[in-house]
Amino acid sequence: MTTCWYEGPLAAFDTETTGVDVETDRIVSAAVVVQDAPGTRPRVSRWVVNPGVPVPAEATAVHGLTEEHLRLNGRWPAPVMYEIAQALAEQAHAGRPVVVMNAPFDLTMLDRELRRHRASALGRWFESAPLSVLDPRVLDKHLDRYRKGRRTLTDLCAHYGVALEGAHDAAADAVAALEVTRAVGRRFASRLERLAPGELHTLQAVWHAAQARGLQAWFARSGVEEAVDPAWPLRPDLPAAA
């Protein structure tokens, strides 16, 4: 009997950043974790980056990384972004799905950093083997769409009974997102077990677009002027200024 994806090997990716704007903010730390089977100790790769720009106090308040610490301990972005992209490409070649909580944020941040420091788009790393992304936020929102409340990683961990130790540390968040994704898989096994990760990747793009349209409509009704990007798992380039 074939093992369901949520009981098999999974990887996860997470970043900490200088802020929440994927076009202008920078990555200050990142982690890729790989777990061969549920309950086994994940293998963790960590990166600390000197972003070369000021780190706002609000960002430090979230992840605890000060500008001084990053200047003393962080590496230059160009080699780090290459190594992260290479690590993700290795998961794609191994056929291992990668869990990314709120994927359009972290993957777009990485894409923009690669363009900024290496004149290369993230997609180049997946030309020979496509990346299958599992986004617990999209999965949970689609499978349990009428549940009230927020759906941050902390909220999902509480809902699915996953321990989150050291929140806003990239490695801790990646491990927690991976465990939440396994828990989502088990809870909704009847709807997910027959789907291969590649099929689920395609479906999540559709589900996320529908979720974005729903949120956009809610904003419109509430008088909130904020655009919701329907793209998943990577936001397209901004059109060049005329």
Side-chain angles (χ1 to χ4, degrees):
M1 182 178 167
T2 308
T3 304
C4 298
W5 59 262
Y6 49 83
E7 300 296 358
L10 290 179
F13 169 59
D14 189 69
T15 65
E16 298 300 329
T17 63
T18 60
V20 296
D21 187 329
V22 295
E23 304 299 340
T24 58
D25 280 304
R26 309 295 173 90
I27 292 172
V28 295
S29 72
V32 172
V33 304
V34 179
Q35 188 182 47
D36 294 320
T40 60
R41 181 185 289 275
R43 301 189 296 280
V44 180
S45 300
R46 290 182 174 87
W47 294 268
V48 178
V49 186
N50 176 357
V53 299
V55 179
E58 309 88 77
T60 297
V62 172
H63 49 60
L65 298 168
T66 64
E67 195 170 322
E68 183 183 21
H69 175 83
L70 294 168
R71 198 166 56 243
L72 292 173
N73 300 285
R75 293 168 58 205
W76 290 114
V80 171
M81 300 313 151
Y82 180 90
E83 289 170 18
I84 297 170
Q86 194 63 39
L88 294 177
E90 287 168 12
Q91 308 314 314
H93 278 280
R96 200 178 287 120
V98 177
V99 172
V100 191
M101 172 76 187
N102 190 18
F105 179 79
D106 294 85
L107 292 180
T108 306
M109 284 291 303
L110 177 58
D111 175 75
R112 302 314 192 248
E113 288 279 49
L114 285 165
R115 292 167 186 266
R116 186 176 291 125
H117 296 290
R118 302 205 62 99
S120 173
L122 179 59
R124 187 177 79 73
W125 268 265
F126 307 112
E127 286 168 354
S128 59
L131 185 68
S132 290
V133 176
L134 298 168
D135 188 334
R137 191 164 178 259
V138 174
L139 292 171
D140 172 72
K141 204 168 181 180
H142 177 77
L143 295 161
D144 196 0
R145 67 182 68 184
Y146 300 113
R147 189 175 82 248
K148 297 279 191 261
R150 290 156 45 109
R151 298 180 196 243
T152 66
L153 180 59
T154 303
D155 298 317
L156 294 186
C157 285
H159 182 71
Y160 288 98
V162 170
L164 176 54
E165 297 166 15
H168 298 297
D169 166 81
D173 285 358
V175 170
L178 189 152
E179 294 296 348
V180 165
T181 302
R182 291 198 189 280
V184 171
R186 292 177 188 128
R187 185 167 300 186
F188 298 98
S190 62
R191 297 165 68 182
L192 294 175
E193 61 188 355
R194 292 179 187 83
L195 294 169
E199 296 173 297
L200 202 47
H201 179 104
T202 303
L203 284 169
Q204 285 170 100
V206 176
W207 296 344
H208 179 272
Q211 292 163 9
R213 286 194 299 272
L215 182 57
Q216 191 76 75
W218 185 81
F219 279 161
R221 289 195 301 272
S222 308
V224 176
E225 289 188 16
E226 187 174 333
V228 184
D229 197 321
W232 183 97
L234 184 67
R235 293 179 189 165
D237 308 345
L238 280 178

